[in-house]
Amino acid sequence: MRKKPSWSADGDSDKFTADSPQSNHEDGKKKKSFSTAKYDLSRHSDTLDRRKVEKALAPAQWTADSWTSPMKSESSSPKRSPTVADEQIENKMLNDRIRRRFGMPSPWACTLFTLTAALASIILMLLTLHSFMTRQLDSKGCDMYYTRSLFFNFADFDTEHTRFATKYSLHLYREIGFDEDSKVKGVPVLFIPGNAGSYRQARSLASETVQHYYNTVQQDKQALNAGATSIDFFSVDFNEDFTAFHGQTLLDQAEYLNDAVAYILSLYHDPRRSQRDPRLPDPSSVILIGHSMGGVAARTMLTMPNYQSNSVNTIITMSAPHARSPVSVDANLVRTYQRINDHWRESYSQKWASDNPLWHVTLISIAGGTLDTTVPSDYASLSSLVPSTHGFTVFTSSIPGMWTGADHNQAVWCVQLVRPIARSIFEAMDVHRPSQTKPRAERMRVFKRWYLTGMEETAEKVLPHKEPSTLLTLEDQSNSVNLVGKRLVLRNIGQSEKPKVHVLPIPPQDIPGQTKFTFLSNLPLEENPNGAHLDLLFCSVLPLQPGHSAAVFSLDIDLSDGRAGSTRLACKNAASDRISLPASYRTSVYPFDKAPSFSYLQYDLDDLGEHQFVAVLDKSTDSSHGWAVAEFSDNSDSVVHVKTSLQRLLAFGAHLKLPAGRPLVTTFDIPALHSSLLAFKLRMGKQACGDEAEMFTPLLRQYLSEPHESRYFVNVKEANVSLHGIAPFMPPPLRSQAASNSLSLQFWTDPTCDSSIDVSLQMDIAGSLGKLVMRYRTVFAAFPLLVVALVLRKQFKLYDENGAFVTFMESMDFCLRTSMPLLFLALTFLAISLAVSSSATSSTTSAGWAVWGSNTTESALDFTKNDLLLGSQDPIFWFLVPMFGLLSAGLCIIINYTTLAVILLLQLPLRILTSRPASTRKETVKRILLPAFSAASPKRRIVTASVLLLLVSTVIPYQFAYLVACIVQLATCVRASRNAQENRSEANYNFYNYAHSILILMLCVLPINIPVLVVWIHNLAVHWLTPFSSHHNVLSVMPFILLVETLTSGRIVPRTTTRLTYVTNVFFFLIAIYAAVYGISYAYLLHHLVNCVAAWLMVLHFSGSDFTVSSFTRILEGHDDEGGD
């Protein structure tokens, strides 16, 4: 009987073979049943009559270029003789195949459903970006600082002192016209630049310290006696290292900084380099000022082996991400952050100060607020690291006199910021001590006074600790004494030709309804009695004791006109407790306007227990528009707790009212508002004052107590309300803050305007969208991989079932209809569960905080509990999971079409170079017998891969090899696409779809590898050739290289119908789950998971043959294991 030639498809390539009349079981196995034969048809594609195939192919002129010649093929395993059922199956498969040949879906094709989902994603993405760039934005009010800088480089700080001398350098700042000497003479301060920062960023702050010293401090004997002196401002040149991307770079900088501190301190021991007063002790510590990642490097110094104990006791940071790493693409960076933060937490958890190596350290973190679009200001929080006795976090909008946000780079040159920093350093220093600074408690008081508003619950008042300095004599029958409980209102201060006093009796503490004293004026309050136009005095009746003289008082004010029956009062000036508020008039626009600020004071009655009177002394003799308001009020009238749920607040808003008989200051506490993901619009009604002209327009302060964030709105009619409260992924605080993490709105209104004011607070949905960008921008390093993993999972499943590797968009359509919604639904429930458990854990552990001088933490607290999924601590944000799923699906579609466009563009020169006339049918049949496209020899490809892996193990990081693999895979896709378009065979389309999807998978992982690659390239640019010990693991990239080299031969992965197909399915599913749950906080592991998938695909490529050198060579050549050459 004549042999019947047939076409059979085996996995990745179709081959022309001849059926043998012999049994298919020459090795002694049982003859297969018809069902088994049918299974083989599914396993190895179909068996078709060659004449039918040629007849079908003739008019279409297509070729299957990966088939091999029957004349050269080896005899395959013999088949049994076909039956009628076999013929029917063959005919059916032939028809199906022909339909697929002529109707191959284009990789550009997209269903209406997928297109709708993509458009919805793109629209949502654009709305979010538009909100981020245009809505809920703070106004920029920073002024530029100009300097005349001069830097001295310490060339002798060489390799004898540090092993990084060839990469980094140390400089000393001097100001031209003030100090141009390179010798040290004052207190050492070291500036540390941040990620890609320059040592020249220290100019503004250093210049301010120089000018303030020579213009002010040098003439202030009291400051000099207190320990103030000049500052030696050093700065480190890190060659603009990318610290935020690489953990080893952070450790290298910290090591160098410790070496630099040791060298700086040694300069003061060298008479040739120092002009310091020999009577003063040599410095034993250096004040550190760090910007961005420089602040993290400063904290890292104290954990390094080369750190000298007590060489650092004061650290001030600006826009530094202390709480968590800004990106998680480098494993070493994530581990370094964890080690640093654990060290600080464990140190402050010690019961005894002697066991705490950081007991003497104060850490101040200054955040820029919403204007900082480089690092989320939430990450600047110290609440999970440092107790309030040793540090705090403050936003620039809270700092008195600044009242504006600052973007990431403005922090180093903003005039309104560098001035309080410079002045606080002078006030905190004490040159008479070896540490060069005051004790820790005093330093903390100084920093709080300069950086905080003074209205915090923990603010320390100076008044109770002062001694009376003013003797005030009043006539007994004076009508200047107000009735108890009556408000004092003064207008047009200065109309009197002589000083005039107005007295308010302080009510006894046992009188209900009188619990707080408040004072507000548009005139300044000063300690200098000769310079102020208005004084606020707290007085006590002076007993007439024999021999008592008024000479003990620095100021004697007698307003009795020498009449008999006078009262003498010993008074304290309250100017030292003055709180500055931005001026609010009809013409006011921004809180940082140049108008003179308001003077505000507030005291609890407990602070005034030793006094009987409050005296407002008008010393001005020139008529002015000055005014003042003073009153005693009850907290029940001035503080209103808005009891409403967050759900109701989001749905209906809040409607508040300032009553007609309101006090000067009214505060609305809204416990439901604590999330940094929400934004609101506040609208305030008009203040009607009747016949009386209003003294000032409403002033609003929006504030949080922890972190210390205050935002001011002057002449308020509308205000954008947003906050940096509870943020995603943030670790829990060291201590319970349940009473201080909610939003409060504080209103100052003219109390003489006896009319009510309506206030409404409504959610700003569009503005809230923009808040997601900074908090969740890293989500796009993980969630797109989730989508691609699901798409590939579906592609492999369909391929193993019917032999067709569908396009990326076909699989995307399947996933959008089935697996993707189900998975995101499950993740939504998981997010809700995690949020509920996180909030429950916080509420149960807060009651168990022990107080270690307010410093002990509970060891059982899990600081990583908010690292999972989207890190949300509020179940109300469940919708973010499907929202980011939709955005990620749209992003993957954009990546897919962008890749297709790049492939199409790269095909144009290839087509021009390889163009040829139309082929005849004979040439077409000939091309059927050729491989997909010519591949390099096995030897050449093995040598190429080996050399690349050798370089990875010695010189280049594996991220560079991965980039090379992506480029090679792109070239493979270009060739595969051209070949599929020209020859239009199913095998070619299958291979192209497979190669294209692998490229999309690799592109999703590429952003995780790019940052470390940038660090490596930067090191080459600065001639630092020391290899990265953490990035030379060959196994981290070998599967990618082998897979890409295999695909260059045009060989698709073999189909699997055994249980191995479940392994592939599970692999991609686990990647999708990990990308969603852990991918944002531990993105670096995504590369290694996908690397495991690449290794598994290589196993599948080897699955059809024995693991021998010859079979490996044949796979690299692109030949089937059963075929021949």
Side-chain angles (χ1 to χ4, degrees), residues 110-117 813 817:
C110 179
T111 65
L112 180 61
F113 178 79
T114 304
L115 180 62
T116 303
D813 182 69
R817 297 173 185 270

Side-chain angles (χ1 to χ4, degrees), residues 429-500:
M429 72 170 57
D430 186 355
V431 73
H432 304 108
R433 296 165 54 90
S435 63
Q436 304 297 288
T437 59
K438 291 180 171 63
R440 176 188 55 80
E442 293 186 34
R443 293 200 308 271
M444 287 298 298
R445 279 194 289 268
V446 169
F447 293 139
K448 287 180 178 180
R449 185 163 60 251
W450 278 102
Y451 300 143
L452 302 185
T453 64
M455 291 176 279
E456 293 78 13
E457 294 181 359
T458 58
E460 298 183 11
K461 301 297 183 181
V462 178
L463 182 69
H465 308 288
K466 294 181 64 174
E467 292 295 330
S469 60
T470 301
L471 177 62
L472 180 62
T473 305
L474 300 176
E475 183 183 356
D476 289 344
Q477 303 299 324
S478 173
N479 58 2
S480 60
V481 180
N482 284 26
L483 297 176
V484 175
K486 184 178 179 181
R487 177 186 295 132
L488 174 65
V489 178
L490 302 179
R491 296 177 182 267
N492 300 323
I493 293 177
Q495 289 183 342
S496 177
E497 295 180 358
K498 61 179 182 179
K500 186 176 181 181

Side-chain angles (χ1 to χ4, degrees), residues 157 257-267 269 286 306 308 311:
F157 184 42
L257 288 170
N258 280 324
D259 295 335
V261 166
Y263 175 79
I264 290 171
L265 295 177
S266 69
L267 295 176
H269 299 279
V286 177
N306 66 332
Q308 295 183 8
S311 61

Side-chain angles (χ1 to χ4, degrees), residues 29 101 115 275 288 495 580 674 840 908 959 1042 1090 1098:
K29 295 182 181 180
R101 298 294 189 197
L115 180 62
Q275 289 183 346
L288 302 181
Q495 289 183 342
S580 294
H674 52 256
L908 296 179
Q959 289 84 356
L1042 296 180
V1090 177
M1098 285 305 303

Side-chain angles (χ1 to χ4, degrees), residues 359-370:
W359 173 259
H360 61 290
V361 178
T362 56
L363 174 61
I364 310 300
S365 176
I366 303 175
T370 57

Side-chain angles (χ1 to χ4, degrees), residues 217-504:
V217 176
Q218 199 173 36
Q219 287 76 38
D220 189 347
K221 292 184 178 180
Q222 184 178 356
L224 295 176
N225 293 333
T229 186
S230 62
I231 291 178
D232 297 321
F233 215 102
F234 297 87
S235 184
V236 178
D237 183 8
F238 283 140
N239 268 317
E240 300 182 1
D241 255 347
F242 293 96
T243 329
F245 302 154
H246 198 232
Q248 187 58 49
T249 300
L250 178 61
L251 295 175
D252 291 348
Q253 289 187 0
E255 180 181 341
Y256 177 83
L257 288 170
N258 280 324
D259 295 335
V261 166
Y263 175 79
I264 290 171
L265 295 177
S266 69
L267 295 176
Y268 293 87
H269 299 279
D270 188 353
R272 298 170 301 174
R273 310 294 295 271
S274 174
Q275 289 183 346
R276 188 179 173 90
D277 188 342
R279 294 171 298 179
L280 298 175
D282 291 328
S284 62
S285 68
V286 177
I287 299 174
L288 302 181
I289 299 178
H291 174 245
S292 186
M293 290 298 294
V296 181
R299 286 201 305 118
T300 309
M301 293 171 58
L302 280 64
T303 68
M304 299 296 291
N306 66 332
Y307 169 67
Q308 295 183 8
S309 180
N310 298 326
S311 61
V312 173
N313 66 11
T314 302
I315 304 175
I316 301 174
T317 67
M318 300 172 288
S319 303
H322 292 293
R324 60 181 283 117
S325 171
V327 293
S328 58
V329 296
D330 178 49
N332 198 16
L333 180 63
V334 175
R335 287 193 291 264
T336 299
Y337 252 89
Q338 184 176 358
R339 183 175 61 83
I340 298 169
N341 291 346
D342 286 346
H343 174 80
W344 281 69
R345 290 166 183 151
E346 292 172 2
S347 297
Y348 288 118
S349 67
Q350 302 301 317
K351 182 177 181 181
W352 305 107
S354 58
D355 298 329
N356 180 8
L358 305 178
W359 173 259
H360 61 290
V361 178
T362 56
L363 174 61
I364 310 300
S365 176
I366 303 175
T370 57
L371 288 180
D372 190 346
T373 57
T374 302
V375 173
S377 290
D378 306 285
Y379 292 2
S381 174
L382 299 177
S383 60
S384 65
L385 300 170
V386 179
S388 58
T389 54
H390 289 69
F392 57 85
T393 305
V394 62
F395 283 73
T396 57
S397 57
S398 302
I399 298 177
M402 185 169 182
W403 300 319
T404 180
D407 67 31
H408 200 67
N409 291 324
Q410 282 179 341
V412 297
W413 54 256
C414 182
V415 173
Q416 294 94 323
L417 180 58
V418 298
R419 283 178 179 170
I421 292 178
R423 284 155 174 75
S424 66
I425 292 175
F426 278 108
E427 195 168 333
M429 72 170 57
D430 186 355
V431 73
H432 304 108
R433 296 165 54 90
S435 63
Q436 304 297 288
T437 59
K438 291 180 171 63
R440 176 188 55 80
E442 293 186 34
R443 293 200 308 271
M444 287 298 298
R445 279 194 289 268
V446 169
F447 293 139
K448 287 180 178 180
R449 185 163 60 251
W450 278 102
Y451 300 143
L452 302 185
T453 64
M455 291 176 279
E456 293 78 13
E457 294 181 359
T458 58
E460 298 183 11
K461 301 297 183 181
V462 178
L463 182 69
H465 308 288
K466 294 181 64 174
E467 292 295 330
S469 60
T470 301
L471 177 62
L472 180 62
T473 305
L474 300 176
E475 183 183 356
D476 289 344
Q477 303 299 324
S478 173
N479 58 2
S480 60
V481 180
N482 284 26
L483 297 176
V484 175
K486 184 178 179 181
R487 177 186 295 132
L488 174 65
V489 178
L490 302 179
R491 296 177 182 267
N492 300 323
I493 293 177
Q495 289 183 342
S496 177
E497 295 180 358
K498 61 179 182 179
K500 186 176 181 181
V501 66
H502 304 271
V503 179
L504 282 173

